Amino acid sequence: MVTNTASSSGLTGVALITGAGSGIGAATARAFAAKGVSRLVLVDFAPAGLKTLEAELQSGGAQVLVVQADVSKEAEVKDAIAEAVTAFGRIDYCVNSAGTAALGALVETSTEDWNRVMGVNITGVFLCVREQSAQMLKQDPLASDSTDPKRQQRGSIINLASILGTVAVPGVPAYVASKHAVVGLAKAAAVEHAGHGIRTNNIAPGWIDTPMTNNAHVASVLEAQTQPAKTPAGRAGSAEEIADVAVFLSSTEASFVNGATWIVDGGFTSL
Ligand SMILES: NC(=O)c1ccc[n+]([C@@H]2O[C@H](COP(=O)([O-])OP(=O)(O)OC[C@H]3O[C@@H](n4cnc5c(N)ncnc54)[C@H](O)[C@@H]3O)[C@@H](O)[C@H]2O)c1
């Protein structure tokens, strides 16, 4: 008889989401709460979206810690993780969604824009992965998520890469380079931490309808390459369609997925 031992009680741990105030990050926080996660840490440098989401999740019965922090700043990332552990004792499902972009041809990209995008998209993800991993290495595997010891995890970390971490389009060179680096970072973390019960993976979304993409400035630069009509699915993805993958990858049902970059793009990179 085959027994599925993946998840006995659902998601019983603590979720921490960066970039939680908007788009994919906010949808991921909601998706975790919908799957029963009752302790959530919401991190963003912009406070506006966090307040609304905090109230919404609390009204659903969740305990919520809001941390205003810039992920590109080492001290702020360290403080954010420390605050989370002080509040909830551990962190189990981290989703690093904070991200930014700069638009323009490579020869017109300023060093300032390059450093800003790299600072958030790769240094910021590195700082988060480093501090999250360091905490997870100190905590016991979460037995309440699975009855199968080999599936029990000290933690899961998911970074938001992009299809632009696999292919390139003209007009966003720093973004493309930063997302390629995110793909490599998850592999580096996975090979060091897989034996310690920590999984580090990426999600690579295609064109997703969020405030990052849903504005005339971005569309004017990128629509020729990545607009929804160019996607085999014939539409943009929704933030919720990325969030659902994040929740699955965080769970012990994905216990053998490590160092992977899951493309969620409606078929765009299959063309
Ligand atoms: N929307 C898409 O089509 C798409 C496609 C591929 C990848 N992604 C990636 O998914 C992630 C989420 O994107 P989104 O579409 O939800 O964007 P979004 O702009 O809606 O949300 C990004 C959030 O990150 C926060 N943020 C930005 N810089 C920060 C910093 N330094 N410190 C803390 N918070 C910061 C913003 O305040 C915002 O709340 C990003 O990493 C993005 O590159 C998005």
Side-chain angles (χ1 to χ4, degrees):
M1 189 178 98
V2 177
T3 309
N4 184 350
T5 54
S7 184
S8 57
S9 323
L11 293 164
T12 61
V14 177
L16 183 150
I17 302 117
T18 75
S22 177
I24 292 166
T28 300
R30 291 190 180 98
F32 275 129
K35 286 286 181 187
V37 175
S38 61
R39 293 167 294 169
L40 298 109
V41 184
L42 310 179
V43 182
D44 206 299
F45 72 172
L50 292 178
K51 290 192 192 313
T52 320
L53 184 60
E54 177 188 27
E56 179 190 322
L57 295 171
Q58 283 174 334
S59 73
Q63 291 176 262
V64 182
L65 172 69
V66 163
V67 183
Q68 195 178 341
D70 182 338
V71 298
S72 69
K73 302 212 163 94
E74 182 172 24
E76 295 189 25
V77 174
K78 281 178 179 270
D79 286 350
I81 303 303
E83 273 190 62
V85 175
T86 299
F88 295 130
R90 58 186 292 139
I91 46 173
D92 296 289
Y93 325 114
C94 293
V95 178
N96 297 316
S97 189
T100 191
L103 303 174
L106 194 151
V107 294
E108 287 158 10
T109 297
S110 67
T111 309
E112 185 185 12
D113 271 351
W114 175 270
N115 287 338
R116 179 177 59 79
V117 172
M118 288 294 169
V120 178
N121 289 7
I122 183 60
T123 303
V125 170
F126 158 68
L127 292 170
C128 289
V129 170
R130 187 184 71 189
E131 297 306 316
Q132 291 159 357
S133 300
Q135 168 55 33
M136 288 172 179
L137 286 167
K138 289 190 249 173
Q139 57 195 38
D140 290 330
L142 188 67
S144 50
D145 264 10
S146 175
T147 54
D148 182 346
K150 74 177 180 297
R151 287 179 178 254
Q152 291 169 1
Q153 56 192 16
R154 288 199 160 79
S156 156
I157 300 172
I158 294 164
N159 306 314
L160 268 297
S162 169
I163 53 169
L164 300 184
T166 303
V167 298
V169 297
V172 277
Y175 187 87
V176 167
S178 70
K179 294 300 187 180
H180 275 71
V182 170
V183 169
L185 181 66
K187 294 179 187 176
V191 296
E192 288 196 24
H193 299 149
H196 299 279
I198 301 170
R199 297 181 301 107
T200 311
N201 294 290
N202 298 317
I203 297 175
W207 184 267
I208 309 301
D209 186 7
T210 71
M212 179 177 272
T213 51
N214 192 1
N215 66 76
H217 190 42
V218 170
S220 68
V221 176
L222 293 183
E223 71 175 9
Q225 292 86 27
T226 56
Q227 65 178 328
K230 298 273 182 188
T231 297
R235 64 175 177 85
S238 69
E240 291 73 23
E241 288 176 300
I242 303 302
D244 286 345
V245 177
V247 169
F248 168 71
L249 283 178
S250 300
S251 77
T252 56
E253 289 171 342
S255 50
F256 208 54
V257 182
N258 213 338
T261 294
W262 277 41
I263 291 175
V264 188
D265 70 349
F268 181 86
T269 49
S270 298
L271 280 172

